[in-house]
Amino acid sequence: MKKIVSWIIGRISIIPSKESKLTVWMMVSLWITTTGGASIFAIGNTKGGYLWLEIMKVIAFHTVFFVLSMVVIGLVFSMLYIPLPKMWLGSLVYSTFAVIVVLESENSGNLFSIIMGLIFSILSLFIGVWLFFLFHKKIRIWVKVAITLLISLGLTYVFLPNLSNEYLSKVNRNHVTPLSFDNPGEHGNYSYAFLTYGSGKDPHRKEFGKEVSIITPSVDATHLVTEWSSKREEFWGFDQSNLPLNGRMWIPEGRGPFPIIFMVHGNHAMEDFSTSGYNYLGELFASRGFIAVSVDEDFINFSNVSGSPNNNYELRAWIMLKHLIQVKDLTQNPTSSLFGKVNLDKVALIGHSRGGQAVAMAADYQSFFPDDPALKGIEELNIQVVVGIAPTDQSVDGKKAYLKNKYYFLLHGARDGDLNDFRGDRQYARTSFDQEVNLFKASLYIADANHSQFNTKWGRKDNSLPRGLFLSQKQTISPENQRNIAKVYLSALMEVAFHEKEQYIPLFQDFRYGQNWIPDTLYINKYEGSSYKTLVQFEEGDKESFSAAEGFVENQIITPKDRIGNNRLQDALQLEWVTNAQIKWDSSNQWKGRPESLVVTLANIDEEADQENLVALPEIYVELMDIKGETVMLPLEQFLPVPPVIKTDYTIFGWFDEFFREGKYEASWEPVFQTFHLPISLFEMENSEVNFEEIEEMSFYFKNKPGKILIEKIGISK
């Protein structure tokens, strides 16, 4: 026994024997970097007023385990007679394992977590080597400077934005005269006042607490919510039985009544307070003659401390409707400062993320809240406009929102690291019109936009720390540019819907009409007016949707998938060719009367093509033939080139993107459909002998280059 104890003591005594100045510096580096990582983990997972305390706790906990690991793992290596620096090995094993565990807890993917754990430790060791050289007295100063510059250049390469606008420059060579009206993204001529309404009891925000402008009654949501944790009640000072109706409001000066626009955030951390993140929109709307309200639903949001209330989606929509009723009551109350100010027949709803689903559900409230006595009076408001900014689209009790006879607009960024698939396109597909109305729906897919930057309080990263550290910003436009896109389009939409400025409609049909107002990046947009009539639509299982087709490698009707593998709502015709191919449709029974435009909706899905080399984009020609056999053909590129496939690198290390996408992002791209409006007047200029009142046949020719596309539908617009 004495020999064993003596042997153990001996092995312990030699644990530090192999350490050198270099390994000591590397251990110091490992402790510094892992301490930084521990602090980032604390920041990402601690909310509320105790952040610094939690950071110190995590650092202390980490430091104790760091030292213990050096000793314990060092002892194990010593007993195994491994002739290496044992404390250094212990610190290395601990650091690698700690990073893997943290990333695994953030659902970063198994393989990605392991790879990044190893990379983290290797980089930490390099930093240790750098510190060793930096403080070594015998190393010449120019060597120290050179090593430091090399490290700085490497970091610059990783984090420097790298945007390419080659496609846009090609698009702009196709002449479209930009709109010459006033920029809708700039402030108008109205002066405006800012006020708040709410409970007056908010413990964290003065504008809804003691400095609130208008006191409003709380509402009881116990019929919807049964899970409201005690910690959530402790933080806010209320439970689901007395939820506040808090709002930030901008009101143009003048008699009114003014149209009103309600905006609502999504599911950010509740302690971060999202409501003021749309001040830039509220101020813009008010300056152009609209009342704007930013609705507070922070108390519904998730928390690392207190979780989330149940029936989250229903509650968000229900609270939005209660805000509408509250403002209606205020504008109808002669004693209120809002008396007569609000035009209840002109209401718009804008929602971001889960808020985007909430506003769609609120606009379709009959489906989700039938005969709810708490919503009495909601029918007095006319919701004319619904906007989804990167909206969610979850089923609620097996139902989803359907919008009828409303303006609908959708914004989404291809770099969205939160709602990474284009879910709002389903809302777009479920929006419909009666023939007698004059409305439209549109979507804008922005290649270099992400999720968070539409809200000024959400920062630039779409994931919380530490996972958010790995999200690349190299393909993401600046927050100011991203919000400028929202300002231009949302303001123009309100001008069309409420001020009848139809001159802005072309902006929604083709982004090039606004190229003087919006930043240079790639946009893909869909548009469908209420006068649109479908000529050709596809349904999986149909054997043929055409009268003739030849030259195709593949020609079949499929159900396209989004980025995470879910089915799209509309089937499409998939075509693939190598050199020359053509396809024809008989339109004799449907094309009656001269339309304004032929409308084609298609997506490029040739992911193998070198999209940086724009000559790889497909070359497509459209031919029309009348009942007499007279034909006219024009290249699709004359109207708009087919956009390239938009691929997204989510991580700062593009090589590991495939591993990072495990379990969430899955594919690096998804089909995004562009609507092409082909004015009949241009066909007529090419051949005036064609009878455009009776077109017998439509043909598409694919020439010279290989390609692969999906055609969603073909129609005409009057």
Side-chain angles (χ1 to χ4, degrees), residues 34 65 69 73 90-104 113-114 116-118 120-121:
T34 51
F65 268 82
S69 297
I73 298 175
S91 64
L92 180 62
V93 170
Y94 167 80
S95 300
T96 305
F97 183 73
V99 172
I100 293 172
V101 169
V102 167
L103 291 178
E104 281 280 8
S113 299
I114 294 170
M116 293 314 300
L118 294 171
F120 180 89
S121 295

Side-chain angles (χ1 to χ4, degrees), residues 326-441:
Q326 179 63 71
V327 171
K328 173 188 74 71
D329 293 343
L330 289 172
T331 198
Q332 292 176 345
N333 184 351
T335 65
S336 169
S337 58
L338 290 179
F339 179 63
K341 286 282 190 178
V342 181
N343 187 337
L344 300 178
D345 197 47
K346 294 184 176 182
V347 178
L349 306 181
I350 300 174
H352 184 188
S353 195
R354 289 197 187 190
Q357 179 169 342
V359 297
M361 292 173 63
D364 186 23
Y365 63 87
Q366 298 95 335
S367 297
F368 297 94
F369 309 104
D371 305 319
D372 187 338
L375 298 179
K376 182 179 180 181
I378 191 65
E379 66 281 352
E380 297 178 36
L381 295 102
N382 182 15
I383 301 171
Q384 292 190 10
V385 181
V386 178
V387 175
I389 302 176
T392 58
D393 192 52
Q394 294 289 111
S395 291
V396 176
D397 294 331
K399 295 178 289 189
K400 293 189 177 184
Y402 282 77
L403 303 179
K404 185 73 175 287
N405 293 336
K406 301 182 190 302
Y407 286 100
Y408 179 75
F409 182 61
L410 169 65
L411 274 174
H412 194 97
R415 315 301 174 198
D416 193 319
D418 188 0
L419 271 296
N420 52 288
D421 59 312
F422 195 18
R423 302 180 199 183
D425 194 50
R426 305 171 199 164
Q427 288 187 4
Y428 179 96
R430 296 196 302 270
T431 300
S432 61
F433 310 106
D434 291 326
Q435 290 185 347
E436 63 271 14
V437 301
N438 184 24
L439 302 168
F440 66 79
K441 59 180 179 178

Side-chain angles (χ1 to χ4, degrees), residues 130-185:
W130 171 64
L131 290 173
F132 171 76
F133 280 106
L134 195 63
F135 290 98
H136 200 291
K137 294 180 180 180
K138 294 183 180 181
I139 303 294
R140 294 183 178 182
I141 186 67
W142 68 266
V143 176
K144 298 177 181 181
V145 171
I147 294 173
T148 303
L149 285 175
L150 285 173
I151 293 173
S152 300
L153 288 172
L155 291 174
T156 301
Y157 173 77
V158 169
F159 292 103
L160 188 68
N162 180 28
L163 303 179
S164 173
N165 297 313
E166 293 183 45
Y167 174 80
L168 190 67
S169 64
K170 173 165 179 155
V171 167
N172 288 342
R173 288 199 295 269
N174 295 274
H175 180 67
V176 166
T177 304
L179 298 179
S180 58
F181 314 111
D182 67 308
N183 182 350

